[in-house]
Amino acid sequence: MLSREDMWDMPLSAQAAEREGKGGASIPHLVGNAIYGVLFVALKAAFRFTVEGIEHLRAFSDGRGCVVAGNHASYFDPVFLWLAARPKQWIRFMARDNMFENMGGFAGQAISRVGAFPVKRSSADRAAIKRAAAMLKRGEIVGIFPEGTRRGRGTATPDIHAGVAFIARMGKAPIIPSSVRGVEGIKPPGSKLPRFPKIAVVFGAPLFLEDFDFLPKEDRLEAASWYVMRECYALYRDIDREKVNMKELFPEAKDFASVFAGRDMSRKGA
C-alpha cells in the first residue's frame, strides 16, 4: 500500500506523470473513483446540486495547471468542488494537517488517494507551497481556501492569506475563483441535525497574476488575493463584485476597493 507521504508528491494522473518527465508512477484511481461514485450518488440525491461556469475549469483540461480558490463556509466546500470537477478533472486540495490523522490515519489515506495534501495552519509551510507549485507546473489543479478556516466557526478574525497568489505565481498558473452556494445551510450553528438545501457549485472566469503588474510590486500578491476573494464572495452571493463589502468581511485586511473600482480583471474565454 502506498504511504500518504508517497502520494503527496506523486502525480494524480498518468498524463501529469508524463508531463513531469520523470517516468514515475501516478496515484492509482481505483479508490478515488469508488469514493467519487458513492459521494456523487448520495449528495446528488440529498442536495440536488448543480454546477455553473464549469467551462472555466474545463478550459484547463488540456494540460495547463490552475488554482481553484474559494470562500470557506463548510466542511462540504471541498467535497462539492471536487465532485463538480470529476470525472474529467481532479482538484488536489490543500487540507489542514491534522485531518490526515483522523480515524487512526484512515482518513489521511483516503483523502490522499483523491489528491489531498497537508498544510500546517498559521505558518508559512514551505513543503506544502513547493508541493502545490510542482503540481501546477505538471498541469494539475490545486484547490485552496485563502481564508484558511471556515467563516463563522471559532473565534478567529477572518483574514485573507496571500499564499494563494504566491503559489499561483510560483506555479505559473492562473486562479479560478469558485464558491458553493447554500452549503452553510446543511448544518447551521446551533442545529443538531443536518438539513438538505439545494446546492450550487459555481466557477468564475480565470485571473492571471501578470494582469496585476500595474500595481506596486509590494502590493501585488496581497491585492490579487483580495480580488480573488471578492470574486468568490460575488459568486457566493450571486451579486456584482462591486457590491461585495470586503471591509465588512475582512475588517483587518487592507482594502483595495478604490484600486479596482470599475476594473474587471477576469479573462473571459481564456
Side-chain angles (χ1 to χ4, degrees):
M1 179 181 287
L2 290 169
S3 71
R4 296 173 300 173
E5 291 78 8
D6 287 337
M7 288 186 281
W8 298 340
D9 292 310
M10 290 176 69
L12 192 52
S13 70
Q15 292 82 0
E18 290 173 7
R19 286 192 291 268
E20 195 172 47
K22 296 181 180 179
S26 58
I27 299 173
H29 289 178
L30 180 62
V31 173
N33 287 337
I35 292 173
Y36 166 70
V38 172
L39 287 178
F40 182 85
V41 171
L43 298 187
K44 187 70 172 179
F47 301 104
R48 311 172 306 285
F49 74 88
T50 57
V51 183
E52 301 174 22
I54 191 63
E55 68 276 7
H56 298 305
L57 188 65
R58 295 291 186 247
F60 294 89
S61 59
D62 59 356
R64 292 178 293 163
C66 64
V67 175
V68 170
N71 62 300
H72 202 7
S74 166
Y75 280 131
F76 281 93
D77 289 319
V79 178
F80 282 110
L81 287 167
W82 184 79
L83 288 175
R86 301 287 297 133
K88 291 185 177 181
Q89 293 163 291
W90 301 77
I91 301 178
R92 304 196 67 166
F93 280 100
M94 267 190 174
R96 198 171 62 243
D97 57 350
N98 61 1
M99 291 182 62
F100 291 80
E101 304 304 325
N102 291 344
M103 301 170 62
F106 177 78
Q109 177 70 209
I111 62 176
S112 296
R113 289 272 173 179
V114 299
F117 61 103
V119 61
K120 296 176 182 177
R121 290 179 65 178
S122 303
S123 68
D125 189 340
R126 294 183 180 180
I129 291 170
K130 287 178 65 177
R131 279 193 181 108
M135 291 170 184
L136 293 171
K137 288 177 180 177
R138 64 181 176 237
E140 295 186 296
I141 303 171
V142 174
I144 300 175
F145 296 104
E147 292 171 290
T149 189
R150 292 170 298 151
R151 178 172 289 269
R153 310 286 175 163
T155 58
T157 302
D159 199 4
I160 304 171
H161 299 282
V164 63
F166 181 66
I167 289 169
R169 186 180 70 179
M170 282 190 65
K172 300 180 180 179
I175 302 172
I176 296 179
S178 68
S179 193
V180 184
R181 295 183 195 142
V183 73
E184 74 288 346
I186 295 176
K187 198 172 186 302
S191 174
K192 293 183 179 180
L193 296 175
R195 300 174 185 178
F196 300 95
K198 190 171 181 179
I199 300 295
V201 183
V202 193
F203 297 98
L207 303 165
F208 291 76
L209 268 295
E210 58 266 31
D211 292 343
F212 293 84
D213 285 352
F214 71 94
L215 292 161
K217 190 173 181 179
E218 63 272 15
D219 286 337
R220 285 175 196 167
L221 295 181
E222 186 179 0
S225 300
W226 182 95
Y227 191 94
V228 167
M229 287 311 303
R230 189 175 69 165
E231 291 290 285
C232 292
Y233 273 98
L235 294 172
Y236 182 60
R237 296 176 175 177
D238 196 16
I239 59 175
D240 185 88
R241 64 176 63 87
E242 302 279 353
K243 294 182 179 179
V244 178
N245 188 337
M246 291 291 282
K247 199 64 182 173
E248 180 183 4
L249 288 168
F250 302 99
E252 295 184 1
K254 184 175 179 179
D255 188 54
F256 292 93
S258 60
V259 174
F260 293 113
R263 285 181 179 266
D264 181 358
M265 303 296 294
S266 59
R267 292 193 197 176
K268 306 297 189 297

